[in-house]
Amino acid sequence: MAKNKNIVIKGARVHNLKNIHVEIPSGSFTVVTGVSGSGKSSLVFDTLFAEGQRRYVESLSSYARQFLGRMNKPEVDFIEGLAPAIAIEQKVNTRNPRSTVSTSTEIYDYLKLLFARIGKTISPVSGMEVKRHTVEDVLKIIMQQAVDSNILILGKLKVVKGKEKAVLDKYLQQGFARLYVDGQILKIAETEPKALTGKDCFLLIDRLVIAEKDDELMSRATDSLESAFWEGEGTCYVKINEHMLNFSNKFELDGIAFEIPSQDFLSFNNPIGACKTCEGYGQVIGIDEDLVIPDKSLSVYEGCVQPWKGEVMSEWREDFVKKAIHFDFPVHRAYFDLNEKEKDLLWQGNAKVGGLNEFFKSLEEQSYKIQYRVMLSRYRGKTVCPDCKGTRLRKDASYVKLVTQREVENIPHHIALQEIILMNVDQAYYYFNNVQLIDTDMKIAGRIFIEVKNRLEFLQRVGLGYLGLNRLSNTLSGGESQRINLATSLGSSLTGSMYILDEPSIGLHPRDTKRLIGVLKTLQQIGNTVIVVEHEDEMMKAADQLIDIGPGAGTGGGELVFNGTYNEILTDEKSITGKYLSNRVSIAIPTKRRNWKNSIQITGARENNLKNIEVKFPLQVMTCVTGVSGSGKTTLVKNIFYPALQKAIGSYSGYKTGKHEKIQGDLHLVKQIEMVDQNPIGKSSRSNPITYLKAYDSIRDLFSELPASKTGKLKPSHFSFNVDGGRCEHCKGEGDVTIEMQFMADLILPCEFCKGKRFKEEILDIRYKGLNIADILELTVDEAMEFFKETPTIAHKIEPLQKVGLGYVALGQSSNTLSGGEAQRIKLATFLGKGNSKESHTVFVFDEPTTGLHFQDIKKLLFCFNALIEKGHTVIVIEHNTDVIKSADWVIDLGPEGGDLGGNLVFEGTPEDLAKCKESYTSPFLKEKLMLQAAVQ
Ligand code: ADP
Ligand code: ADP
Ligand code: ZN
Ligand code: ZN
């Protein structure tokens, strides 16, 4: 076999890359690592992927080619051995609000196909299968009968009262002579029309006795059956000896006309299939239980019903409480302790008392009064559609079922598409692996069946078995969404391609990393090159090839530090990564855990999968929340703790608070709560690090004070690219222009007028110490600190950026080009910039802050955390990284599993005690880390 050519990159100079030469073995599993900002993405995405895509487009269409002359080719001398490139990114596709786990993985498409091909429509009335018959179907039955069989071919007669005679006359004229009524054959001419009223009447079309099954019989029966269907308006009855058979060429049974299963009928994205009530959104605007009963730990007596609190409306509450003894309603029981029947009673009411539904109805009836309208709007919110239960399909689509051949434990005899949609991946996987379909169905749909099974298996393998198939894509985290895309790529099994992934281990517990590696290796083994930007130890160990970019970030990086195997890097002298991996350098374990006495408690947390848990969050220390993916960390911290605390300290979060009983503890100590995520600090190219830190205002002031500005009457606003005046008019200060392409991602090209400088010529002529405003924006933070030495107002505002390790970032680098980790540290810089502040005690919440971070960066991040705590603040982190966990003062471990089998508090205490906890999946990884390091230190 010929050996694959290597992918060879020569002279790469994109962003900070220093003219580097890199070789990647084709067909390998390669990990690219290095500190944040060292140039990994510049190499992998902006050079390799960009060029791969450019060549791909070039080979595709002439329309695209006309733009290629202007499309920036990455700054690289040449690349050879390049294959079509596919990037699997962490972006959550929020563009389509209807996209779900099952649609984005194509599972839904296959399910639709499966049900349309082999689904049987079962009448909800009789439980019988609905079938559509043709003349041929009926003829076949007739031809199968024994010789001498008596056959009557009948058409159903509709006798309208008062018109009996007219009907009979019409048939006589048409040449029919007989009727079949009550088991008797009657001559039409001799029938008294009135006698037919209320009886089952048929028109006798033909009478056959089978003698020879020849062509003559066939053609006569065919003619008769055709007229029977015609006269019976689509139905036809055939009496064979004593048995009456009923056929319909419409899709009807039990007096109901059914829809013929088709893909459109089973699509919620199609008006034909969408639930009529919610139009396929799965949600409707209705009265929101959570708004009506915000504190579910209160009883009706204590006033759990929010709208029954005001002076006027409290009549409803008093009335309900007074009458409750008559029907044993526990008015003193907390709302969340009520059973379904009792809750129903509160909502539906009964003959004696009005419930909430009636209350809201009365508000609606009086909604011409403004105060009632306002009141109503306060309790309206999105709720699950009552008709489709969130499956978004019209109700009658549920009559279409997959039918099993044999009884299997835990597998229903038949199942509707909706029931599958409401399963999670694990449950659906179980179903498809155990169900025994009818053989003929399996022949038709075997291929589709395998596609569904494969995709479910891939989802499990990337650690997403707990996800509901109906889960909206825009509620997934970036890591979950990337792993879904990875599973989907496996499903489409392309080969000979180059797959590029950005930290696929995000959001994944170390327990599941091995399975993810297995998936990446599968992708490689089916004949692809897999290139992954990663910092995870296990992932690097598993790689064929390890590339280290660095040594530092920005201008301090951009070199190829190492390119070889894992074993080789362990002893490499230059690579910082190698030093960490071999424990020659490490993040020190704190010698002592901070003690704490104050805390905030959450009780009765029950949102999503949380099992009514009670958790203490200590104040003024660092707490780490851990657990496998799907165990409930995000739900606890971001959906309950964060908004509840926000509300408790009297500010508004805009977040809906997840179900819980109470938040209590030392609330008075907390002045603020901040969620520091990795979201961009600004969505457009118009914000950048110094606008975020408000340092740009001072720089514009400085420029407007210059003599040349005074003569030209230039104000600070002339040095802004956000308002008209000084900015380039062609690109409105963007520096580049976007060209929409019909069939591919938008093209972004530098503005032809200002050449990307964003400002008009006359503005660029104004210089301070030799630099114009565009030059200033290109300075790095480190350079700017030097440049503004004599202008402390500016230097002081920029300094925190240097402290959090962002000295290499350009002042004007658009926020949308900053990595998530960089954006996060810019946010931290704003807080560290503020003075020492016991009075402004802030609780900081971080969700996987180590995303995109190298060991070296994590060290810096931990430094920031400690700085915040030293200033008297509290840090709470959701994290899988063992270096962070071992550095925490306190750990809250959730689980043990993801989804329904998770949501319990497995452990709370110090890292040392967690390492001893047998129930926790986090424990073994932490233990290994603590022991390994203890041995080295
Ligand atoms: P990594 O992926 O290793 O974190 P990047 O390749 O994203 O690093 O960045 C390398 C350097 O290039 C950093 O200094 C970064 O700020 C800079 N950079 C990244 N994208 C852009 C861009 N679009 N324009 C200018 N500089 C950029
Ligand atoms: P973790 O943060 O530990 O990965 P999550 O709190 O995100 O876990 O999820 C816990 C459980 O709740 C999982 O089963 C998850 O699928 C479910 N879940 C989370 N968010 C939603 C949502 N918006 N809608 C439905 N289910 C959700
Ligand atoms: Zn609906
Ligand atoms: Zn311009």
Side-chain angles (χ1 to χ4, degrees):
M1 241 172 77
K3 214 172 166 266
N4 277 338
K5 270 209 303 192
N6 283 350
I7 300 167
V8 179
I9 305 162
K10 276 205 175 135
R13 290 181 301 277
V14 172
H15 303 146
N16 69 336
L17 296 180
K18 294 183 180 143
N19 203 7
I20 58 175
H21 172 126
V22 184
E23 256 177 69
I24 300 174
S26 278
S28 68
F29 171 37
T30 294
V31 168
V32 180
T33 189
V35 300
S36 174
S38 63
K40 301 177 297 293
S41 315
S42 302
L43 176 69
V44 174
F45 287 96
D46 303 322
T47 308
L48 204 52
F49 177 65
E51 181 62 7
Q53 228 193 4
R54 203 183 68 91
R55 291 194 197 170
Y56 173 67
V57 168
E58 200 170 33
S59 72
L60 259 192
S61 96
S62 56
Y63 177 72
R65 255 200 305 273
Q66 64 184 340
F67 291 98
L68 284 177
R70 292 176 63 200
M71 189 170 162
N72 279 343
K73 193 177 174 308
E75 276 183 73
V76 59
D77 292 341
F78 78 83
I79 303 182
E80 67 179 29
L82 204 57
I86 297 153
I88 304 180
E89 289 176 276
Q90 298 196 1
K91 286 200 188 104
V92 182
N93 180 9
T94 45
R95 257 200 242 149
N96 179 358
R98 301 196 203 205
S99 161
T100 65
V101 168
S102 65
T103 60
S104 63
T105 51
E106 297 168 354
I107 288 175
Y108 194 84
D109 296 310
Y110 284 106
L111 287 176
K112 251 174 16 190
L113 209 58
L114 192 65
F115 275 81
R117 293 255 177 94
I118 63 168
K120 316 265 181 285
T121 301
I122 308 288
S123 161
V125 179
S126 61
M128 301 292 287
E129 188 182 339
V130 184
K131 280 193 173 136
R132 183 162 72 153
H133 299 101
T134 60
V135 169
E136 285 73 37
D137 292 333
V138 188
L139 186 65
K140 213 156 125 196
I141 294 171
I142 292 177
M143 298 308 281
Q144 281 164 1
Q145 301 307 314
V147 172
D148 287 341
S149 294
N150 261 302
I151 292 173
L152 300 184
I153 297 178
L154 307 165
K156 180 88 175 156
L157 211 63
K158 253 202 221 128
V159 190
V160 183
K161 212 173 163 209
K163 299 232 171 99
E164 293 91 346
K165 186 157 177 354
V167 171
L168 292 187
D169 286 349
K170 189 187 90 189
Y171 283 123
L172 268 179
Q173 271 170 16
Q174 285 175 14
F176 292 104
R178 290 178 176 81
L179 299 178
Y180 182 78
V181 183
D182 278 356
Q184 294 201 326
I185 294 172
L186 309 175
K187 280 198 167 151
I188 295 180
E190 297 168 6
T191 304
E192 170 62 35
K194 288 238 159 49
L196 298 178
T197 321
K199 289 195 174 142
D200 245 4
C201 304
F202 299 92
L203 186 65
L204 180 64
I205 312 265
D206 202 358
R207 198 161 30 160
L208 310 164
V209 177
I210 296 184
E212 243 176 284
K213 296 184 186 175
D214 54 9
D215 286 353
E216 198 188 333
L217 176 72
M218 275 213 338
S219 87
R220 174 167 164 188
T222 305
D223 284 351
S224 303
L225 287 170
E226 268 166 14
S227 19
F229 273 119
W230 173 257
E231 296 301 337
E233 292 176 346
T235 63
C236 156
Y237 289 75
V238 176
K239 187 160 183 255
I240 301 175
N241 300 325
E242 294 316 309
H243 303 286
M244 179 72 102
L245 303 179
N246 166 4
F247 303 97
S248 169
N249 67 8
K250 296 183 190 153
F251 206 54
E252 285 180 351
L253 193 69
D254 304 324
I256 306 170
F258 292 88
E259 293 280 339
I260 295 166
S262 68
Q263 289 199 56
D264 288 346
F265 177 57
L266 298 165
S267 301
F268 54 77
N269 284 327
N270 189 302
I272 299 174
C275 165
K276 299 289 170 277
T277 311
C278 62
E279 294 177 343
Y281 281 94
Q283 291 185 320
V284 289
I285 301 292
I287 298 300
D288 186 340
E289 183 190 5
D290 288 337
L291 296 173
V292 176
I293 302 171
D295 184 352
K296 300 186 182 57
S297 67
L298 298 179
S299 65
V300 172
Y301 183 84
E302 290 166 323
C304 69
V305 178
Q306 188 71 22
W308 286 357
K309 276 190 167 162
E311 208 174 309
V312 184
M313 299 304 169
S314 62
E315 279 173 21
W316 283 80
R317 184 183 72 93
E318 283 155 22
D319 188 52
F320 193 95
V321 168
K322 208 162 22 173
K323 291 178 178 158
I325 22 167
H326 300 305
F327 37 82
D328 262 354
F329 181 93
V331 289
H332 293 291
R333 189 171 297 165
Y335 182 81
F336 70 75
D337 271 340
L338 297 177
N339 64 31
E340 285 309 310
K341 244 169 106 188
E342 289 158 350
K343 279 185 191 164
D344 264 5
L345 192 117
L346 177 60
W347 284 88
Q348 319 274 354
N350 61 17
K352 293 203 178 72
V353 71
L356 278 162
N357 290 350
E358 192 182 321
F359 166 73
F360 283 110
K361 215 171 125 209
S362 87
L363 287 189
E364 252 160 54
E365 279 159 5
Q366 300 176 68
S367 63
Y368 54 86
K369 292 187 191 159
I370 179 105
Q371 70 269 35
Y372 289 149
R373 260 207 315 277
V374 169
M375 185 152 190
L376 258 177
S377 69
R378 207 175 293 157
Y379 299 104
R380 274 193 211 278
K382 279 190 186 158
T383 55
V384 175
C385 170
D387 282 352
C388 63
K389 307 272 183 293
T391 61
R392 306 185 272 170
L393 282 169
R394 56 193 274 184
K395 189 160 193 304
D396 51 356
S398 69
Y399 302 153
V400 185
K401 317 258 191 189
L402 289 188
V403 180
T404 55
Q405 175 176 39
R406 254 171 282 148
E407 291 293 324
V408 182
E409 214 185 315
N410 294 326
I411 300 280
H413 177 50
H414 39 57
I415 199 164
L417 178 55
Q418 278 95 328
E419 294 171 81
I420 296 181
I421 295 302
L422 290 176
M423 292 179 178
N424 68 29
V425 171
D426 285 336
Q427 291 162 334
Y429 184 75
Y430 178 85
Y431 176 80
F432 281 100
N433 265 289
N434 290 286
V435 67
Q436 304 272 343
L437 292 185
I438 299 166
D439 290 343
T440 48
D441 285 352
M442 233 12 217
K443 275 206 191 93
I444 300 170
R447 183 74 223 153
I448 307 172
F449 204 77
I450 291 169
E451 296 288 350
V452 173
K453 251 172 38 180
N454 281 346
R455 281 170 171 74
L456 289 169
E457 189 190 322
F458 295 145
L459 285 171
Q460 277 193 326
R461 284 177 63 192
V462 296
L464 296 176
Y466 61 90
L467 282 185
L469 291 177
N470 201 32
R471 177 81 172 272
L472 284 174
S473 300
N474 58 17
T475 66
L476 297 172
S477 67
E480 282 171 332
S481 166
Q482 187 191 31
R483 280 181 279 136
I484 282 186
N485 294 340
L486 177 59
T488 310
S489 302
L490 277 178
S492 66
S493 51
L494 275 180
T495 66
S497 303
M498 194 169 73
Y499 280 91
I500 299 180
L501 291 95
D502 188 10
E503 269 202 294
S505 70
I506 297 303
L508 206 58
H509 190 272
R511 182 194 71 164
D512 297 319
T513 308
K514 281 219 162 63
R515 264 159 74 199
L516 176 66
I517 291 171
V519 170
L520 293 170
K521 291 229 153 174
T522 308
L523 200 55
Q524 174 201 6
Q525 278 150 15
I526 59 179
N528 298 294
T529 308
V530 179
I531 301 171
V532 180
V533 175
E534 256 298 348
H535 304 285
E536 230 274 342
D537 197 340
E538 284 288 321
M539 198 78 88
M540 295 195 225
K541 231 180 243 173
D544 305 320
Q545 191 85 1
L546 207 54
I547 293 174
D548 193 14
I549 306 292
T555 46
E559 292 169 39
L560 178 67
V561 176
F562 175 85
N563 188 357
T565 65
Y566 182 82
N567 282 333
E568 287 163 4
I569 203 172
L570 291 180
T571 53
D572 189 84
E573 279 310 312
K574 282 204 321 237
S575 162
I576 301 171
T577 313
K579 287 182 183 159
Y580 274 101
L581 288 174
S582 59
N583 271 305
R584 284 174 283 154
V585 175
S586 61
I587 294 172
I589 301 170
T591 46
K592 166 168 172 292
R593 310 283 168 198
R594 291 184 186 90
N595 287 321
W596 53 272
K597 52 181 199 298
N598 299 317
S599 69
I600 307 280
Q601 294 122 47
I602 298 278
T603 48
R606 294 180 319 281
E607 183 69 22
N608 289 333
N609 67 338
L610 295 181
K611 306 282 182 325
N612 200 0
I613 59 174
E614 182 178 333
V615 188
K616 263 200 189 96
F617 290 90
L619 294 179
Q620 293 172 318
V621 298
M622 172 178 162
T623 300
C624 212
V625 181
T626 59
V628 299
S629 187
S631 60
K633 304 180 296 294
T634 312
T635 307
L636 176 66
V637 177
K638 283 166 82 171
N639 299 1
I640 298 179
F641 177 74
Y642 175 71
L645 182 57
Q646 193 113 42
K647 217 186 251 172
I649 62 174
S651 55
Y652 176 68
S653 70
Y655 278 76
K656 197 168 143 173
T657 314
K659 293 195 200 78
H660 70 285
E661 189 181 325
K662 256 201 183 79
I663 179 161
Q664 56 201 6
D666 304 296
L667 294 164
H668 61 282
L669 296 177
V670 178
K671 297 292 177 287
Q672 260 188 73
I673 174 160
E674 289 286 346
M675 177 110 70
V676 188
D677 51 26
Q678 294 209 351
N679 288 341
I681 54 175
K683 281 184 211 74
S684 75
S685 51
R686 298 192 176 280
S687 73
N688 55 43
I690 48 165
T691 57
Y692 195 77
L693 283 171
K694 309 255 182 307
Y696 195 49
D697 296 345
S698 314
I699 295 176
R700 286 188 300 162
D701 289 345
L702 176 76
F703 267 82
S704 67
E705 294 297 320
L706 296 173
S709 300
K710 294 243 145 106
T711 9
K713 292 208 167 57
L714 297 177
K715 303 220 165 49
S717 67
H718 283 100
F719 297 93
S720 161
F721 46 79
N722 287 332
V723 292
D724 279 339
R727 68 177 180 189
C728 165
E729 268 157 22
H730 180 70
C731 62
K732 300 258 179 277
E734 291 275 3
D736 43 40
V737 287
T738 304
I739 296 175
E740 278 180 30
M741 307 281 279
Q742 285 173 341
F743 49 88
M744 53 178 280
D746 293 345
L747 268 186
I748 296 173
L749 303 171
C751 169
E752 296 164 51
F753 288 80
C754 63
K755 307 274 179 294
K757 300 249 183 245
R758 299 171 158 228
F759 290 95
K760 288 178 183 157
E761 291 270 348
E762 60 265 36
I763 300 294
L764 294 174
D765 284 342
I766 313 271
R767 289 177 184 269
Y768 170 71
K769 284 168 67 180
L771 301 186
N772 65 25
I773 188 76
D775 297 332
I776 299 275
L777 289 171
E778 278 172 20
L779 292 178
T780 66
V781 169
D782 288 339
E783 287 163 355
M785 284 301 288
E786 181 63 29
F787 185 79
F788 289 117
K789 247 188 341 222
E790 294 108 47
T791 330
T793 43
I794 297 176
H796 186 67
K797 283 184 175 159
I798 299 174
E799 196 183 3
L801 288 171
Q802 208 178 25
K803 278 208 177 131
V804 297
L806 292 173
Y808 62 90
V809 169
L811 296 188
Q813 190 173 329
S814 298
S815 326
N816 55 12
T817 66
L818 293 167
S819 71
E822 286 170 338
Q824 184 176 47
R825 277 191 274 155
I826 288 179
K827 290 175 196 173
L828 280 180
T830 62
F831 294 109
L832 288 174
K834 289 174 189 161
N836 216 359
S837 40
K838 284 274 181 283
E839 307 76 41
S840 69
H841 176 186
T842 305
V843 173
F844 290 94
V845 175
F846 297 85
D847 187 2
E848 274 212 274
T850 65
T851 303
L853 301 192
H854 183 268
F855 305 102
Q856 186 77 4
D857 303 314
I858 294 173
K859 206 177 215 172
K860 285 181 195 158
L861 183 71
L862 289 170
F863 167 83
C864 293
F865 286 171
N866 281 325
L868 288 172
I869 294 169
E870 294 312 315
K871 287 194 167 197
H873 300 301
T874 298
V875 172
I876 293 167
V877 204
I878 301 175
E879 192 50 82
H880 296 291
N881 183 291
T882 38
D883 278 319
V884 175
I885 303 174
K886 79 177 187 200
S887 307
D889 300 303
W890 194 253
V891 186
I892 296 169
D893 192 54
L894 300 182
E897 300 285 339
D900 287 345
L901 300 176
N904 300 294
L905 178 66
V906 176
F907 170 86
E908 51 184 340
T910 62
E912 280 72 23
D913 288 338
L914 174 57
K916 292 179 208 140
C917 170
K918 292 211 167 50
E919 292 75 33
S920 162
Y921 282 118
T922 311
S923 166
F925 299 94
L926 184 62
K927 193 168 163 184
E928 196 187 316
K929 191 102 208 172
L930 290 175
M931 286 191 357
L932 193 67
Q933 264 189 289
V936 174
Q937 278 171 355

